[in-house]
Amino acid sequence: MDNYDLTIIGGGSAGLVVAVAGAKLGKKTALVEKHRIGGDCLWTGCVPSKALLKAAKVAKYIDTADKYGITNSNGNPEWQKVIDYVRSTQQIIEEEHDNPERFREMGVDVIFGNGHFEARDTFVVEDAESGETRNLKSKKYVISTGSRPLAPSVPGLKSCDYLDSENVWDLEELPQRLLVVGAGPIGIELGQAFHRLGSDVTIAQRSGRILTKEDNHVAERMLQYLRSEGIKIRLNTNIEKIEKQNEGTRVTFSSLQSASSEQNDEQMFDNVLVAAGRAPNIEGLELEKIGVHVKKNGIVVNDQLQTHVKHIYAAGDVIGHYLFTHVAAFQAQLLIRNFLLPFSKKINYSVVPWTTFCDPEIARCGLTESEAREKYGDVDVFTLDQTDVDRAVAEGETQGFTKVIATKWRGRILGVHIVGANAGEVIHEYILAMQEGIPLRKLGGMIHVYPTYSTSVLRVATKWLSEGTLIKTLRKLIGAG
């Protein structure tokens, strides 16, 4: 029997943060990982997708180089070299940040292998390196086993060797005709990347809009941009069946806006990429046997991330709240704080940002306009087009806008939505303001470096000073307009 103070099951973002903290604070810590350290983010998510998107953006720059006065550029993307670049970025991050030996040197007992709970205080692992069966007895457990792509129930889908966000990185050739199922962040990012690298891309979406979690204004504008690039996007579309044939994969579509089967049509594709949701990785852990409650979207936890078994906690994708690497790390930090300090702190999801790394990027924090109006009634909405950002104009990156929703009188920020180059970087000033309750007027009093994309924050803040409800009311009171 191996005895530990802390045992983490799953070596993704949340698990690694907890493991490092536990070891550095002198706790005897074990980290159990089925496959590879780094989790979905390093191997199938954030890192490879962002590397692919960068290659796709370079291809786009080459294709439109004449806009910048460069007329002798030429170059066609070579899929194998693109994938080599993607894998090289993963290798660098693995070696420098997610190398198992690095964690072992910190004092973490890293164990590779499948495992399950034998009892509430015992986790059994088949150690893949030693071949031994190890019984880990621990004072506290953290389950952070992540999630995996979810496949929709479509007749014939499994027979067509479909792609998803995990196995797409094993592609040996660029598909000439690619169907992407789902128009959420993963579908939009990968669909645009493959299109720019040379695929004829069609994105099929069941609902009447793309990016259903974004503000309506954002989704509408991005739909225009993507279609203007030549990406085919089918809304209100159902996939009736998929048939694998010698010349490719035949897909039968139907319109959800028509009850007539005569509206069905068929298209041929080389590959089908499914990006239609995710499911928690909980199979084989035998959680129900020890009293850990599980629902369809993941492990049930309270606002201290504690399961129904008081010494067993869960964090990251496996609890099904916000499926982002940065949220998993945020949850891990809360666990560390509560493990070490008295008076447990509750998780606070009131300020959760995220970015979809398509081009232009989409960054969001807080409420959409409709959500804000439903909750607060009248609100102020300030919109700034990217054409009003001088740095964007200078770099030819004028697609997009900033939309900020604020309370009418104080200018407290309720929601921020940015579409544009570097949106994922620019939004952090707003995140700090929202977290600390800093109103727009104070952002307007900061000196912003010119010319940067962040001057858009200053421009929006000055809109509050000139167009906000409070200012307009004061003007009327003093008879100034």
Side-chain angles (χ1 to χ4, degrees):
M1 183 75 71
D2 297 310
N3 294 293
Y4 295 92
D5 297 309
L6 178 62
T7 297
I8 300 102
I9 304 160
S13 175
L16 295 179
V17 171
V18 175
V20 170
K24 286 187 174 181
L25 293 166
K27 304 294 182 182
K28 189 176 181 183
T29 303
L31 174 65
V32 180
E33 168 55 41
K34 183 186 296 185
H35 188 31
R36 298 179 290 191
I37 295 292
D40 170 72
C41 183
L42 174 58
W43 298 110
T44 62
C46 317
V47 173
S49 65
K50 281 20 166 209
L52 184 73
L53 287 164
K54 179 62 177 182
K57 188 161 188 174
V58 170
K60 179 68 173 179
Y61 275 143
I62 292 172
D63 191 47
T64 60
D66 58 338
K67 180 174 80 171
Y68 299 94
I70 302 170
T71 57
N72 61 348
S73 62
N74 58 74
N76 295 312
E78 297 181 41
W79 176 250
Q80 191 56 55
K81 291 183 178 179
V82 169
I83 285 299
D84 288 345
Y85 167 71
V86 170
R87 291 170 181 161
S88 72
T89 64
Q90 293 173 300
Q91 183 178 2
I92 292 170
I93 293 174
E94 180 192 22
E95 291 177 353
E96 296 187 3
H97 301 293
D98 292 344
N99 190 321
E101 296 309 315
R102 175 172 174 264
F103 294 95
R104 285 170 173 153
E105 289 172 2
M106 293 180 190
V108 180
D109 186 4
V110 180
I111 305 167
F112 288 100
N114 287 305
H116 67 275
F117 280 97
E118 187 66 28
R120 290 188 171 190
D121 64 349
T122 306
F123 191 78
V124 179
V125 186
E126 300 299 327
D127 192 323
E129 293 179 313
S130 68
E132 300 176 351
T133 298
R134 299 181 60 177
N135 296 285
L136 313 182
K137 192 177 183 68
S138 188
K139 295 177 181 177
K140 286 185 172 65
Y141 294 93
V142 176
I143 303 170
S144 55
T145 47
S147 64
R148 65 185 183 280
L150 186 64
S153 298
V154 177
L157 177 63
K158 292 183 179 179
S159 66
C160 78
D161 299 322
Y162 69 90
L163 303 171
D164 57 31
S165 59
E166 290 188 348
N167 64 17
V168 68
W169 312 108
D170 298 326
L171 267 179
E172 296 182 358
E173 296 180 358
L174 182 76
Q176 294 303 304
R177 303 164 297 177
L178 177 67
L179 171 65
V180 178
V181 181
I186 295 174
I188 294 299
E189 286 184 2
L190 294 180
Q192 185 183 48
F194 274 96
H195 168 73
R196 289 183 168 186
L197 292 170
S199 294
D200 182 3
V201 173
T202 298
I203 299 176
Q205 173 77 343
R206 283 183 59 86
S207 71
R209 51 172 287 193
I210 66 173
L211 300 166
T212 55
K213 292 185 179 180
E214 300 295 343
D215 186 89
N216 286 336
H217 193 189
V218 170
E220 290 170 3
R221 188 72 69 91
M222 281 307 306
L223 180 63
Q224 295 173 13
Y225 292 154
L226 295 168
R227 281 178 167 166
S228 70
E229 280 196 28
I231 300 172
K232 304 177 186 71
I233 301 179
R234 302 180 57 134
L235 303 176
N236 298 301
T237 296
N238 188 48
I239 300 175
E240 294 293 331
K241 62 180 178 178
I242 295 175
E243 300 171 276
K244 185 69 175 178
Q245 299 183 347
N246 291 334
E247 63 271 26
T249 300
R250 184 183 300 278
V251 178
T252 303
F253 299 101
S254 67
S255 172
L256 293 174
Q257 293 181 317
S258 173
S260 172
S261 61
E262 294 179 0
Q263 296 295 318
N264 288 3
D265 65 284
E266 297 178 344
Q267 284 184 252
M268 295 295 296
F269 297 93
D270 298 304
N271 291 95
V272 176
L273 170 62
V274 174
R278 300 184 68 82
N281 292 325
I282 54 176
E283 291 77 8
L285 295 177
E286 300 188 21
L287 299 177
E288 294 87 347
K289 183 176 73 173
I290 61 169
V292 173
H293 293 194
V294 176
K295 291 185 178 179
K296 183 179 180 180
N297 66 330
I299 296 173
V300 178
V301 296
N302 62 18
D303 49 18
Q304 281 92 33
L305 305 178
Q306 188 178 43
T307 71
H308 285 78
V309 180
K310 65 179 183 179
H311 67 286
I312 299 178
Y313 299 77
D317 284 12
V318 76
I319 66 175
H321 286 316
Y322 293 92
L323 308 188
F324 302 113
T325 296
H326 52 279
V327 173
F330 175 68
Q331 292 167 343
Q333 291 165 1
L334 176 90
L335 286 177
I336 295 163
R337 184 254 179 233
N338 287 351
F339 288 166
L340 299 174
L341 299 175
F343 309 112
S344 293
K345 185 177 180 181
K346 297 179 179 180
I347 194 81
N348 182 357
Y349 293 117
S350 62
V351 181
V352 177
W354 65 78
T355 298
T356 300
F357 294 91
C358 48
D359 182 24
E361 291 180 357
I362 304 167
R364 170 186 174 174
C365 188
L367 304 177
T368 65
E369 182 178 347
S370 60
E371 290 169 344
R373 292 191 185 281
E374 182 178 346
K375 185 173 182 179
Y376 293 94
D378 287 342
V379 292
D380 280 341
V381 178
F382 306 102
T383 303
L384 179 77
D385 199 87
Q386 281 291 92
T387 56
D388 293 324
V389 182
D390 290 355
R391 180 60 179 272
V393 174
E395 295 192 349
E397 300 282 2
T398 54
Q399 285 187 325
F401 62 93
T402 299
K403 180 178 183 179
V404 175
I405 302 103
T407 58
K408 288 185 66 173
W409 301 105
R410 290 192 62 247
R412 180 169 65 89
I413 303 170
L414 303 174
V416 179
H417 307 269
I418 306 174
V419 177
N422 302 308
E425 310 295 336
V426 174
I427 199 169
H428 286 88
E429 188 174 336
Y430 288 111
I431 297 169
L432 178 61
M434 294 175 70
Q435 185 164 307
E436 300 302 321
I438 300 170
L440 281 172
R441 63 179 176 81
K442 288 192 175 182
L443 294 183
M446 287 176 54
I447 299 174
H448 288 73
V449 174
Y450 180 89
T452 61
Y453 285 96
S454 292
T455 57
S456 63
V457 181
L458 178 63
R459 295 292 301 275
V460 171
T462 56
K463 278 180 172 285
W464 180 85
L465 292 169
S466 61
E467 302 173 12
T469 299
L470 176 62
I471 303 302
K472 287 181 178 179
T473 303
L474 290 174
R475 283 177 177 168
K476 287 181 181 179
L477 290 175
I478 63 175

